Amino acid sequence: MRLHWQAYAVLESHPLIVESALADLQVLLREDAAIPEPFTPLLYFSGYRALQCHRISHAWWQSDQKSMASYLQFRSSSKFSVDIHPAAPIGKGIFIDHGVGIVIGETAIVEDGVTLFQGVTLGGTGKLNGDRHPKIRRNAFLGANAVVLGNIEIGEGARIGAGAIVTKSVTAGATVVGLPATAR
C-alpha cells in the first residue's frame, strides 16, 4: 500500500487527528494576521504542515509501526525543516509560527494551546535513555530560538523569551528571558 493510502487509513481510524488539525488551523486563522484566507496554511505554512505529518507519524509510532513513523518524520523534517520525534505527544490548537528549525525530542510533551516560534528546541542534555525532554504545559509561549533542555516542566501559561536557554523548570504563568533564563 502506498504511503498516502496508509495515511488516509490512519485519519479514518483516528478522528482526533482531524479534530486537532482543525483546532491548529483555527488558532492560525485567529492569531496570524498574515493569513489572507484558510487555504494559505494548508498549502504553504511549513510549521502547520509538519505538525499534521507528525500527527500521522505519532499514530503509527503508537501502533508499533515505527518504520513508517520514522520514514514520515524523516520526509517531513527534510521538506519542512521541522524535526518532531514520532513518539512525542502533541496537543491540539498548536500555533507553530515560521516553523523552520523547530526540534522536539522523543520524550517531550507539548500540551494544548502552545505557541512555538521558529528555532525552538525541546531537547535533552545528553542523557541516553529514560525521560529526558521538556514537558510544555497548556497555553505556554516559546519565543524564537528558545532552547529548553532536559526533563523539566514549563508551566501552564508560562512565557519563554526569544533566545532564552532554559535548563530549570518554569512555574505556571511566569516569564523567563536571557542566557541562562531568569524570571522577570
Side-chain angles (χ1 to χ4, degrees), residues 17-90:
I17 293 174
V18 176
E19 179 185 321
S20 297
L22 181 58
D24 300 337
L25 181 60
Q26 289 170 332
V27 167
L28 282 170
L29 295 173
R30 185 177 62 245
E31 300 294 328
D32 193 335
I35 299 174
E37 43 68 38
F39 296 106
T40 297
L42 297 171
L43 296 171
Y44 306 117
F45 279 30
S46 63
Y48 178 81
R49 295 178 71 196
L51 182 56
Q52 305 326 310
C53 287
H54 168 74
R55 295 189 187 291
I56 294 169
S57 70
H58 182 69
W60 281 333
W61 190 270
Q62 296 299 105
S63 64
D64 208 30
Q65 298 178 61
K66 291 184 171 41
S67 292
M68 289 297 296
S70 296
Y71 176 73
L72 182 56
Q73 181 272 337
F74 160 74
R75 294 290 306 231
S76 176
S77 178
S78 297
K79 179 147 183 85
F80 304 121
S81 297
V82 175
D83 189 359
I84 307 172
H85 193 284
I90 308 289

Side-chain angles (χ1 to χ4, degrees), residues 119-132:
V120 166
T121 297
L122 305 180
T125 58
K127 183 179 172 185
L128 296 178
N129 51 38
D131 196 353
R132 59 197 185 280

